[in-house]
Amino acid sequence: MPAPLDDRALVAAAQDGDRSALDQLLRRHYDRVHAVCRRITGNDADAADAAQEALILIVRNLSSFDGRSTFATWTYRVATNASLDELRRRRRRPVLAGRDRDHDGATPTEPTDHHAHEHTDRLADRLSLDAALVSLPEDFRVPVVLRDVCDLDYSEIAEVLEIPVGTVKSRIARGRSMLAAKISRTDGNQSVASDRPTGTT
């Protein structure tokens, strides 16, 4: 069996009209695109919308991809912008009854699990992280997601967001600090925090 083509070869083939190559590219990167959208938008419904829009934009704009960045970095940029656009649309529309939003009281999306008690802690941690992430201002949430979820380095994040590396570093540091503070207030440790002397960090 021949070795799978790398992104560069698949992009070149897709730009020449090879639909199979395009399909391979989209399948290969979908999970990462969705992960970005999920963490930035904060819920599964908006993440699905943003991921779908990102794929459409990737297909529509693939011909303009010039290879100056890696294809993965470019897709992260597209997914980030699609997620931010979805958040802006969400602010302009009312919340629909029955829409699946696991951070605002709607029915969770996890399937029924007869051994759910074994996963409670992990699920609680994930929901706590999701809620804390979505509460961060976008300027801090996005670079934290790109660094800690997508594992991009600072220069790649700077490229995705089109801001200086120094700004990326400061936003990540501040975003992580805000995230830690929010999680510590919501993970059941309030009583512990209240026993600490005022002013300690």
Side-chain angles (χ1 to χ4, degrees):
M1 179 181 294
L5 297 176
D6 62 16
D7 282 354
R8 189 181 299 274
L10 287 174
V11 167
Q15 288 176 329
D16 286 339
D18 186 333
R19 295 186 64 85
S20 175
L22 177 60
D23 183 65
Q24 288 183 62
L25 274 175
L26 297 181
R27 289 178 182 275
R28 179 178 293 178
H29 290 275
Y30 177 78
D31 286 347
R32 282 173 283 188
V33 166
H34 187 272
V36 173
C37 296
R38 178 65 179 78
R39 292 300 190 183
I40 293 177
T41 63
N43 67 82
D44 291 327
D46 286 340
D49 291 344
Q52 181 179 24
E53 180 64 21
L55 294 184
I56 292 171
L57 291 171
I58 289 168
V59 172
R60 186 177 296 163
N61 296 305
L62 185 62
S63 61
S64 65
F65 174 68
D66 57 13
R68 285 184 293 179
S69 62
T70 67
F71 182 75
T73 298
W74 183 68
T75 61
Y76 282 136
R77 181 186 302 132
V78 174
T80 297
N81 289 333
S83 298
L84 295 176
D85 287 344
E86 185 62 31
L87 287 177
R88 295 183 190 104
R89 284 192 290 270
R90 185 170 78 193
R91 286 195 289 266
R92 293 195 296 265
R93 67 176 182 251
V95 176
L96 300 178
R99 190 168 170 83
D100 175 18
R101 303 191 188 285
D102 54 8
H103 70 278
D104 63 6
T107 303
T109 59
E110 283 69 26
T112 301
D113 184 351
H114 297 297
H115 301 285
H117 62 282
E118 299 174 3
H119 310 296
T120 299
D121 289 344
R122 277 187 298 170
L123 176 59
D125 288 345
R126 198 203 96 179
L127 294 179
S128 177
L129 176 60
D130 287 349
L133 268 173
V134 80
S135 70
L136 292 183
E138 290 172 12
D139 284 350
F140 302 105
R141 184 196 323 157
V142 175
V144 167
V145 168
L146 293 177
R147 177 62 180 161
D148 294 339
V149 177
C150 304
D151 201 31
L152 297 188
D153 63 33
Y154 293 121
S155 61
E156 289 174 317
I157 297 169
E159 184 179 348
V160 168
L161 300 180
E162 299 180 336
I163 58 177
V165 170
T167 303
V168 169
K169 291 181 178 180
S170 64
R171 289 184 182 180
I172 289 174
R174 186 172 173 192
R176 284 172 172 168
S177 177
M178 295 166 67
L179 194 61
K182 289 175 183 294
I183 290 174
S184 71
R185 289 197 299 267
T186 59
D187 67 358
N189 292 330
Q190 292 93 333
S191 60
V192 175
S194 65
D195 292 334
R196 294 173 184 157
T198 303
T200 47
T201 56

